[in-house]
Amino acid sequence: MSNPSYHLSELDALEAEAIHIIREVVAQMERPALLFSGGKDSIVMLHVAIRAFAPAPVPFPVVHIDTGHNFPEVIEFRDRMVAEHGLQLVVGSVQDAIDAGTVREEPNGSRNRIQTPVLLDTIEKNRFDACMGGARRDEEKARAKERVFSFRDEFGQWDPRNQRPELWSLYNGKVHPGESIRVFPLSNWTELDIWNYIATREVAVPSIYFAHERDVFDRNGMWMAANEFAVPREGDEVVTKKVRYRTVGDATLTAAVESDADTVEAIVAEIAATRLTERGATRGDDRVSEAAMEDRKKEGYF
């Protein structure tokens, strides 16, 4: 009699871990939510969440903190996912907060930093006690310091030196009123894992991720798309290049990379060969200082 074998691939194991974490959030927390930017990581997380509860609907809302500086392809994709899967969408609008005078637009035009108070206000208004995000440890050193269940105090702040111990797969979601937990089900994934998952599970992503021709200009060594949010300065040369995006975010700060990868398979090959992280290659906000991301996370940024 032969012994039955049971083997999980690396992607199967990562998916199983993420499903376990998402189910733990639903089991432990009263009002969880999933942050959804329309980027590849939050798309994969939503796909995993759908699988975690199928055939039942996803039992929590998806939350988008809308800077108003979005790439149109991403907003179209967000709305299509919400309609296809019958999701409850909660939008925290930075523009509404500016109009109400609760935040002030920064001189450089970027809304990346001022989305933090909008996020915290959205969490408080909806009484969310857990917010799941698609951050991964390989993205940036401050994100590598986060626990899977990462505690935030009553002000939404994170203290990297005072985190709860997290042993094996035992997660502590205990909070008092006003406190909350940020949860990172994809912590152990890499960018290559994300793209391999998108390829093998045939997960749809916005067209912005695939190589296409776009008018761009150089800013601090990065290719910025010329549009209403990122306006070339006097002396900037606008050229047409074949580019794609490795991350999506505030269009004033998110750069494209030169690429011929116009299929998922080509992107997988490109990511396997690159030596630059996606944030290091494409995010101007991370170049402000060595501790830029950690400083923002202490304030409540995701």
Side-chain angles (χ1 to χ4, degrees):
M1 179 176 177
S2 62
N3 293 324
S5 63
Y6 182 68
H7 174 73
L8 289 178
S9 70
E10 179 182 323
L11 279 182
D12 290 338
L14 288 170
E15 181 189 62
E17 180 188 56
I19 286 175
H20 168 69
I21 293 167
I22 293 171
R23 287 175 175 167
E24 275 293 301
V25 172
V26 172
Q28 292 192 36
M29 313 307 289
E30 292 186 4
R31 294 183 63 82
L34 186 152
L35 293 184
F36 187 76
S37 66
K40 64 185 185 306
D41 302 312
S42 62
I43 291 169
V44 165
M45 197 167 58
L46 176 60
H47 185 85
V48 172
I50 291 170
R51 289 173 63 87
F53 301 102
V58 173
F60 40 73
V62 296
V63 176
H64 182 214
I65 303 304
D66 182 355
T67 64
H69 288 172
N70 304 290
F71 293 97
E73 300 97 322
V74 177
I75 293 298
E76 182 277 330
F77 185 88
R78 178 201 71 182
D79 293 342
R80 182 154 53 89
M81 288 296 101
V82 168
E84 284 183 7
H85 298 289
L87 303 170
Q88 179 189 350
L89 174 65
V90 174
V91 176
S93 170
V94 174
Q95 184 61 57
D96 287 351
I98 293 172
D99 294 343
T102 56
V103 297
R104 181 181 299 175
E105 196 142 25
E106 298 195 330
N108 64 4
S110 168
R111 295 180 173 180
N112 191 53
R113 196 176 191 100
I114 59 175
Q115 66 180 310
T116 296
V118 178
L119 168 64
L120 297 178
D121 186 54
T122 303
I123 290 173
E124 183 179 359
K125 281 182 177 175
N126 290 276
R127 294 183 292 112
F128 294 134
D129 56 3
C131 287
M132 292 174 274
R136 312 183 321 269
R137 290 191 175 111
D138 78 322
E139 286 182 80
E140 202 277 339
K141 51 185 178 292
R143 288 188 163 169
K145 295 180 180 180
E146 291 268 23
R147 298 285 199 255
V148 174
F149 270 42
S150 197
F151 176 77
R152 297 296 192 272
D153 65 18
E154 65 271 33
F155 304 106
Q157 296 175 333
W158 173 63
D159 183 352
R161 297 165 301 180
N162 186 26
Q163 299 190 73
R164 292 172 174 174
E166 196 163 73
L167 307 176
W168 305 289
S169 57
L170 301 176
Y171 304 114
N172 185 352
K174 185 176 181 179
V175 292
H176 295 104
E179 299 171 343
S180 63
I181 299 290
R182 304 284 174 85
V183 185
F184 305 103
L186 308 184
S187 285
N188 293 327
W189 298 48
T190 66
E191 184 185 16
L192 185 59
D193 293 327
I194 292 291
W195 281 108
N196 275 322
Y197 189 85
I198 289 169
T200 57
R201 279 17 178 213
E202 298 182 344
V203 179
V205 295
S207 59
I208 196 172
Y209 280 114
F210 300 102
H212 55 284
E213 289 195 340
R214 193 175 282 250
D215 290 340
V216 295
F217 61 95
D218 182 280
R219 180 161 293 168
N220 300 323
M222 297 189 295
W223 291 115
M224 305 297 299
N227 53 41
E228 61 180 307
F229 308 121
V231 180
R233 298 167 183 156
E234 186 176 349
D236 286 338
E237 181 184 5
V238 178
V239 295
T240 301
K241 285 188 173 291
K242 197 168 186 180
V243 298
R244 72 177 196 85
Y245 285 83
R246 289 177 67 182
T247 65
V248 299
D250 189 311
T252 62
L253 290 170
T254 306
V257 295
E258 289 188 76
S259 174
D260 291 318
D262 55 3
T263 65
V264 173
E265 291 72 22
I267 292 173
V268 169
E270 184 180 88
I271 296 301
T274 188
R275 299 183 65 184
L276 278 176
T277 68
E278 71 254 50
R279 293 195 70 94
T282 66
R283 298 300 289 265
D285 44 339
D286 290 346
R287 296 186 174 193
V288 175
S289 73
E290 273 291 304
M293 171 66 84
E294 184 162 324
D295 290 342
R296 292 200 305 276
K297 288 177 76 69
K298 287 177 181 175
E299 295 169 357
Y301 182 75
F302 215 81

